[in-house]
Amino acid sequence: MKLKNLYILLGVVFLISIDTLAQDRFTQMQNQLQLIAIDNPGLENTVDLSVNGVSLQEFIRGIANANDLNISVDDGLNNIQIINNFSNVTVSDVLIFLAKRYQLEMEFVGNIISISKYNPPPEPLPPPQPKVINVNYDERGDLLTLDLSNDNLVDVIRKVTSVSDKNIVLSPNVENKKVSVFIQRMPFNAALQKFAYSNGMSLTETDDGFFVLSELGDEKVLTSNENEGTKTSKEKYKRKNIEGLFLEVSNENEISISAENVSIDEVVKAVAYELDIDYYLFSKIEGTKTLNLKAVSLEELLNNLFEATAFTYKKNYGVYLIGERKSEGLRTTTVYQMQHRSIENIMEVIPNDLKQELELKKFADLNSLVISGSRPMAEELIQFLKQIDQVVPVIAIDVIIVDYRKNRSLSAGITAGLGEPTERTEGSFVPETDVNFSAKSVNDIIENINQSSIVNLGKVTPNFYFSIKALEQDGVLKVRSTPKLATLNGHEANLSVGNTEYYVEESNNVIGAQNPQNIITRTYRPVEADLAITIKPLVSGNDQITLEITVEQSDFTERISNEAPPGKVSRSFSSMLRVKNNEMVLLGGLEEKSVNNSGAGLPFLARIPIIRWFFGQRTRSKNKSQLNIFIKPTVIY
């Protein structure tokens, strides 16, 4: 409680000192402004200003320019927008107000004022907290738990003695020793023995119940009980003869074993005896194993022993902890960060067998997967993730679209008849011949014919008209576009270019029976015609790229009437091919040809060659269009 009150008092003193420091800072600014106002009378000028949405940097610069002041404003103040209204106040008061309002700092160099954002001094660090010694003792089971990491031995022994009421004495040569160990719920005497051994000390129990810790002298075997007349656990184990087990141990990295239907528990104990290692069992190891391994390490042996079982192991501070996978001390939680793939869809890729007995959570902020559960299962999943976490190629696709269109048409003929009287002859000859002759012009032509020949033709009536038309057209249109696409390996890239036209739909609804009302609704419906290209690339290991290509092209045709929807013709094809990196491929075949030969004229005469051109109209047209697509993929890593 006293320590808590001390912290509160320190916090109050700190807040008061910060407030006092802020007041002193603004007082110093005001005094400095008054001092330089002698040489800079503009600081005492009164201003009337009203601003809205202006950056703080521009506002201060405007005041400086208007009052002949030398003020340097930091660029960081350009992001601060202000809304203020000042009336009949001095420039000094405005600057002090802005410093308080927006936490600004003023530095004075001669008659130059430098204004920037104020950086408050760092808060004082809180006093260091005393390190907690993690020692727990279960009096009912005489079980001791130690979780130590570079702790002072004197503090550890004091804590153990206080929680267990068992006296432990230190020899003078170990009082300044730093110790580390992790032991979970182990009998008190055995836990102290393991603790002493793992930190290079020896433990002796005196006849009066005291424990003495001293430097380790001659190396001795740790036993479950070293009272006189009691054999050590190693001596007891050595006399056992395990049927079906052959074990040869040179060191932890060279173990040879041959076992046939031998208890896993017995194998673990035999290996621990031969290697003189410390281990702790959370529960009895059940099951048998048949295996034959030569020159393997201890970790490889344990992995093979516990594979396809409900048991696993974990090495902590030199002690092998062995038990069921779900045991609290054997679970692990780790975060695996994907380097080259997104975490969003990774859960769909992981096989169900690898997810069993594991809890998986996506952590999108770090593009990571949180894995919690059995250590062997977690390591197996991490190995799988490393295999699929490879660089995904990006394919840049250059597309060149060439649309070639060629058309030729010929239209000619003579039209004559009766209609509205035409007073004059008019029309054009080049580039299109389209001339309308009046009745007077026709009669002049007839009269000239009558004078120069023996034929006597009569005159036409005033409402007679006569016209001649002749036009030949020839055109070539070549459209070229070069869009560029990019996509990940195995994903589609889409390109669509087109037009949209609309037509009207009218619906007539009659509402009401006694006083019917006719409601007409007009709706504009869209019709689209476009060129759509879909490309799905797949990169092989030999620098080959498989392309799945789909091309669809549609064009509008003439409407059958003004109110009808526009006609539409479509062409499409799909292709799958393989190309090398940076190799170009040509896709063609979308070709359309049309020929039109039509005419109108007098019966029978319109069928006679040459003569039919004088007794009717003829139209000939020929159109050809071809679409070529060039595709060039490039792999980018």
Short mmCIF file of all heavy atoms in Angstrom, two decimals, residues 555-581:
data_model
loop_
_atom_site.label_atom_id
_atom_site.label_comp_id
_atom_site.label_asym_id
_atom_site.label_seq_id
_atom_site.Cartn_x
_atom_site.Cartn_y
_atom_site.Cartn_z
N ASP A 555 -20.82 -7.34 -82.86
CA ASP A 555 -21.02 -6.06 -83.54
C ASP A 555 -22.51 -5.84 -83.73
O ASP A 555 -23.31 -6.78 -83.80
CB ASP A 555 -20.33 -6.05 -84.92
CG ASP A 555 -18.83 -6.06 -84.78
OD1 ASP A 555 -18.31 -5.28 -83.98
OD2 ASP A 555 -18.18 -6.87 -85.47
N PHE A 556 -22.86 -4.54 -83.84
CA PHE A 556 -24.24 -4.18 -84.12
C PHE A 556 -24.52 -4.31 -85.62
O PHE A 556 -23.65 -4.07 -86.46
CB PHE A 556 -24.54 -2.75 -83.68
CG PHE A 556 -24.51 -2.56 -82.18
CD1 PHE A 556 -23.63 -1.68 -81.58
CD2 PHE A 556 -25.38 -3.28 -81.38
CE1 PHE A 556 -23.61 -1.50 -80.22
CE2 PHE A 556 -25.37 -3.11 -80.01
CZ PHE A 556 -24.48 -2.23 -79.43
N THR A 557 -25.76 -4.68 -85.95
CA THR A 557 -26.24 -4.66 -87.34
C THR A 557 -27.40 -3.67 -87.42
O THR A 557 -27.82 -3.09 -86.41
CB THR A 557 -26.70 -6.06 -87.77
OG1 THR A 557 -27.75 -6.52 -86.90
CG2 THR A 557 -25.53 -7.05 -87.70
N GLU A 558 -27.92 -3.48 -88.64
CA GLU A 558 -28.97 -2.50 -88.82
C GLU A 558 -30.24 -2.92 -88.10
O GLU A 558 -30.55 -4.11 -87.96
CB GLU A 558 -29.27 -2.32 -90.31
CG GLU A 558 -28.10 -1.73 -91.09
CD GLU A 558 -28.47 -1.51 -92.55
OE1 GLU A 558 -29.62 -1.84 -92.92
OE2 GLU A 558 -27.60 -1.02 -93.30
N ARG A 559 -30.99 -1.92 -87.64
CA ARG A 559 -32.29 -2.18 -87.02
C ARG A 559 -33.31 -2.50 -88.10
O ARG A 559 -33.29 -1.92 -89.19
CB ARG A 559 -32.75 -0.97 -86.21
CG ARG A 559 -31.79 -0.55 -85.11
CD ARG A 559 -32.25 0.75 -84.47
NE ARG A 559 -31.29 1.26 -83.49
CZ ARG A 559 -31.50 1.26 -82.18
NH1 ARG A 559 -32.64 0.79 -81.70
NH2 ARG A 559 -30.59 1.74 -81.35
N ILE A 560 -34.23 -3.37 -87.78
CA ILE A 560 -35.30 -3.67 -88.75
C ILE A 560 -36.31 -2.54 -88.80
O ILE A 560 -37.07 -2.40 -89.76
CB ILE A 560 -35.98 -5.01 -88.40
CG1 ILE A 560 -36.56 -4.95 -86.97
CG2 ILE A 560 -35.00 -6.16 -88.52
CD1 ILE A 560 -37.33 -6.20 -86.59
N SER A 561 -36.34 -1.72 -87.74
CA SER A 561 -37.15 -0.50 -87.73
C SER A 561 -36.55 0.45 -86.70
O SER A 561 -35.69 0.06 -85.91
CB SER A 561 -38.62 -0.81 -87.38
OG SER A 561 -38.73 -1.27 -86.04
N ASN A 562 -37.00 1.70 -86.73
CA ASN A 562 -36.45 2.68 -85.82
C ASN A 562 -36.72 2.35 -84.36
O ASN A 562 -35.97 2.72 -83.47
CB ASN A 562 -36.99 4.07 -86.14
CG ASN A 562 -36.51 4.56 -87.49
OD1 ASN A 562 -35.43 4.17 -87.95
ND2 ASN A 562 -37.31 5.41 -88.14
N GLU A 563 -37.85 1.69 -84.09
CA GLU A 563 -38.20 1.37 -82.70
C GLU A 563 -37.64 0.03 -82.24
O GLU A 563 -37.71 -0.32 -81.06
CB GLU A 563 -39.73 1.35 -82.53
CG GLU A 563 -40.40 2.71 -82.69
CD GLU A 563 -40.57 3.06 -84.16
OE1 GLU A 563 -40.41 2.15 -84.99
OE2 GLU A 563 -40.85 4.24 -84.46
N ALA A 564 -37.15 -0.78 -83.18
CA ALA A 564 -36.68 -2.12 -82.82
C ALA A 564 -35.30 -2.07 -82.19
O ALA A 564 -34.54 -1.12 -82.41
CB ALA A 564 -36.66 -3.00 -84.06
N PRO A 565 -34.94 -3.08 -81.41
CA PRO A 565 -33.58 -3.14 -80.86
C PRO A 565 -32.57 -3.31 -81.98
O PRO A 565 -32.89 -3.84 -83.05
CB PRO A 565 -33.61 -4.38 -79.95
CG PRO A 565 -35.05 -4.66 -79.71
CD PRO A 565 -35.79 -4.18 -80.92
N PRO A 566 -31.34 -2.85 -81.77
CA PRO A 566 -30.32 -3.05 -82.80
C PRO A 566 -29.97 -4.52 -82.95
O PRO A 566 -29.99 -5.29 -81.98
CB PRO A 566 -29.13 -2.24 -82.28
CG PRO A 566 -29.34 -2.15 -80.81
CD PRO A 566 -30.82 -2.11 -80.61
N GLY A 567 -29.70 -4.90 -84.19
CA GLY A 567 -29.28 -6.27 -84.42
C GLY A 567 -27.88 -6.51 -83.88
O GLY A 567 -27.11 -5.59 -83.62
N LYS A 568 -27.54 -7.77 -83.74
CA LYS A 568 -26.26 -8.09 -83.13
C LYS A 568 -25.73 -9.39 -83.71
O LYS A 568 -26.47 -10.36 -83.86
CB LYS A 568 -26.42 -8.22 -81.61
CG LYS A 568 -25.12 -8.42 -80.84
CD LYS A 568 -25.42 -8.46 -79.35
CE LYS A 568 -24.17 -8.68 -78.53
NZ LYS A 568 -24.46 -8.74 -77.09
N VAL A 569 -24.46 -9.40 -84.09
CA VAL A 569 -23.81 -10.60 -84.58
C VAL A 569 -22.58 -10.86 -83.70
O VAL A 569 -21.88 -9.92 -83.31
CB VAL A 569 -23.41 -10.44 -86.06
CG1 VAL A 569 -22.46 -9.27 -86.25
CG2 VAL A 569 -22.78 -11.72 -86.59
N SER A 570 -22.35 -12.12 -83.35
CA SER A 570 -21.28 -12.47 -82.40
C SER A 570 -20.36 -13.51 -83.02
O SER A 570 -20.80 -14.38 -83.79
CB SER A 570 -21.86 -13.01 -81.09
OG SER A 570 -22.68 -12.05 -80.48
N ARG A 571 -19.10 -13.42 -82.64
CA ARG A 571 -18.09 -14.39 -83.03
C ARG A 571 -17.22 -14.68 -81.81
O ARG A 571 -16.90 -13.77 -81.05
CB ARG A 571 -17.21 -13.86 -84.17
CG ARG A 571 -17.94 -13.65 -85.48
CD ARG A 571 -17.06 -12.93 -86.48
NE ARG A 571 -16.88 -11.53 -86.12
CZ ARG A 571 -16.06 -10.70 -86.76
NH1 ARG A 571 -15.34 -11.14 -87.76
NH2 ARG A 571 -15.94 -9.45 -86.38
N SER A 572 -16.84 -15.93 -81.62
CA SER A 572 -16.03 -16.30 -80.45
C SER A 572 -15.21 -17.54 -80.76
O SER A 572 -15.58 -18.34 -81.63
CB SER A 572 -16.92 -16.54 -79.23
OG SER A 572 -17.75 -17.65 -79.43
N PHE A 573 -14.12 -17.69 -80.02
CA PHE A 573 -13.34 -18.93 -80.11
C PHE A 573 -12.54 -19.06 -78.82
O PHE A 573 -12.25 -18.09 -78.12
CB PHE A 573 -12.43 -18.95 -81.34
CG PHE A 573 -11.23 -18.05 -81.25
CD1 PHE A 573 -10.06 -18.47 -80.65
CD2 PHE A 573 -11.26 -16.76 -81.78
CE1 PHE A 573 -8.95 -17.65 -80.57
CE2 PHE A 573 -10.17 -15.93 -81.70
CZ PHE A 573 -9.00 -16.38 -81.09
N SER A 574 -12.17 -20.31 -78.51
CA SER A 574 -11.35 -20.63 -77.34
C SER A 574 -10.14 -21.42 -77.82
O SER A 574 -10.23 -22.20 -78.78
CB SER A 574 -12.13 -21.45 -76.31
OG SER A 574 -13.22 -20.72 -75.82
N SER A 575 -9.03 -21.21 -77.16
CA SER A 575 -7.80 -21.87 -77.57
C SER A 575 -6.92 -22.10 -76.36
O SER A 575 -6.91 -21.31 -75.42
CB SER A 575 -7.06 -21.02 -78.62
OG SER A 575 -5.84 -21.63 -78.99
N MET A 576 -6.18 -23.21 -76.38
CA MET A 576 -5.18 -23.50 -75.35
C MET A 576 -3.87 -23.82 -76.07
O MET A 576 -3.84 -24.70 -76.93
CB MET A 576 -5.60 -24.65 -74.46
CG MET A 576 -4.55 -25.02 -73.40
SD MET A 576 -5.05 -26.38 -72.34
CE MET A 576 -6.33 -25.59 -71.39
N LEU A 577 -2.82 -23.09 -75.73
CA LEU A 577 -1.55 -23.30 -76.40
C LEU A 577 -0.41 -23.06 -75.43
O LEU A 577 -0.60 -22.52 -74.34
CB LEU A 577 -1.42 -22.36 -77.61
CG LEU A 577 -1.75 -20.87 -77.40
CD1 LEU A 577 -0.50 -20.11 -77.03
CD2 LEU A 577 -2.37 -20.29 -78.64
N ARG A 578 0.77 -23.47 -75.84
CA ARG A 578 1.97 -23.33 -75.00
C ARG A 578 3.01 -22.51 -75.77
O ARG A 578 3.28 -22.79 -76.94
CB ARG A 578 2.53 -24.69 -74.62
CG ARG A 578 3.83 -24.61 -73.81
CD ARG A 578 4.28 -25.95 -73.33
NE ARG A 578 3.36 -26.48 -72.34
CZ ARG A 578 3.48 -27.68 -71.79
NH1 ARG A 578 4.48 -28.47 -72.13
NH2 ARG A 578 2.61 -28.09 -70.90
N VAL A 579 3.56 -21.52 -75.11
CA VAL A 579 4.57 -20.66 -75.72
C VAL A 579 5.73 -20.51 -74.74
O VAL A 579 5.59 -20.76 -73.54
CB VAL A 579 3.99 -19.27 -76.07
CG1 VAL A 579 2.90 -19.39 -77.10
CG2 VAL A 579 3.50 -18.56 -74.82
N LYS A 580 6.86 -20.09 -75.28
CA LYS A 580 8.01 -19.80 -74.43
C LYS A 580 7.89 -18.39 -73.86
O LYS A 580 7.15 -17.56 -74.36
CB LYS A 580 9.31 -19.92 -75.24
CG LYS A 580 9.65 -21.34 -75.64
CD LYS A 580 11.00 -21.38 -76.36
CE LYS A 580 11.36 -22.81 -76.73
NZ LYS A 580 12.67 -22.88 -77.43
N ASN A 581 8.65 -18.16 -72.81
CA ASN A 581 8.68 -16.84 -72.21
C ASN A 581 9.18 -15.81 -73.23
O ASN A 581 10.16 -16.03 -73.94
CB ASN A 581 9.60 -16.87 -70.99
CG ASN A 581 9.57 -15.57 -70.21
OD1 ASN A 581 8.59 -14.82 -70.27
ND2 ASN A 581 10.63 -15.29 -69.47
#
